[in-house]
Amino acid sequence: MKFGDYFKELRLRSKMTLRHFCEKNQFDPGNISKLERNILPAPSAEEKLNNYARALGIKAGDDEYLTFFDLARASRLIGTDIHNITDAELLNMLPVLFRTLDNKEITAEKLERIINIIKDEVKK
């Protein structure tokens, strides 16, 4: 699942229209619309993401919170080109990859090895 799709799913679960959600939480409807359509990547500011999470009714530390932040990270790292990926299984694995790499000491040598492994697999 993509960040924007997840964001929209959570907003719809609260039974709020885009306009009502934005008015209630003082968000720009144009930006939220672009987020939900995966045109914009998730913001990098932790405070902004936390504001979105609170507005969507996500509690810090629960599974939805972790998924929300994992998908946000993936959307920033991959950019909006993520919407071109059609393999659902691959999309679901990306947040796990980024969570695994997060806060780990990745040296240039280790990163190069990872890239070479990926390149080798893509060639097959």
Side-chain angles (χ1 to χ4, degrees):
M1 178 172 282
K2 300 168 199 156
F3 176 77
D5 299 328
Y6 192 62
F7 192 109
K8 184 175 184 177
E9 179 183 301
L10 294 171
R11 177 184 59 79
L12 291 174
R13 188 174 65 194
S14 69
K15 300 188 185 338
M16 280 193 270
T17 65
L18 177 69
R19 184 153 309 282
H20 181 244
F21 175 77
C22 291
E23 286 174 359
K24 180 180 178 183
N25 296 290
Q26 299 177 343
F27 298 141
D28 179 272
N31 285 341
I32 299 300
S33 175
K34 288 175 185 171
L35 277 175
E36 288 186 354
R37 291 180 290 138
N38 297 297
I39 293 171
L40 286 178
S44 57
E46 196 82 11
E47 183 178 343
K48 184 61 126 177
L49 283 172
N50 277 313
N51 288 341
Y52 288 161
R54 274 191 294 280
L56 292 165
I58 302 171
K59 292 186 172 65
D62 67 12
D63 287 342
E64 287 181 339
Y65 184 87
L66 295 173
T67 299
F68 185 77
F69 279 84
D70 285 346
L71 291 172
R73 186 177 306 111
S75 80
R76 287 191 309 272
L77 290 172
I78 296 174
T80 54
D81 285 341
I82 195 170
H83 70 275
N84 292 327
I85 300 173
T86 56
D87 185 331
E89 187 176 347
L90 174 62
L91 278 173
N92 288 332
M93 292 175 6
L94 289 175
V96 176
L97 170 67
F98 296 124
R99 187 182 321 140
T100 302
L101 293 175
D102 197 28
N103 296 322
K104 303 286 188 266
E105 186 177 323
I106 303 294
T107 64
E109 181 183 316
K110 288 178 183 177
L111 185 57
E112 187 174 337
R113 281 196 334 232
I114 293 169
I115 291 169
N116 286 332
I117 290 169
I118 293 169
K119 284 180 180 178
D120 289 344
E121 287 300 314
V122 171
K123 289 177 187 176
K124 290 182 181 180

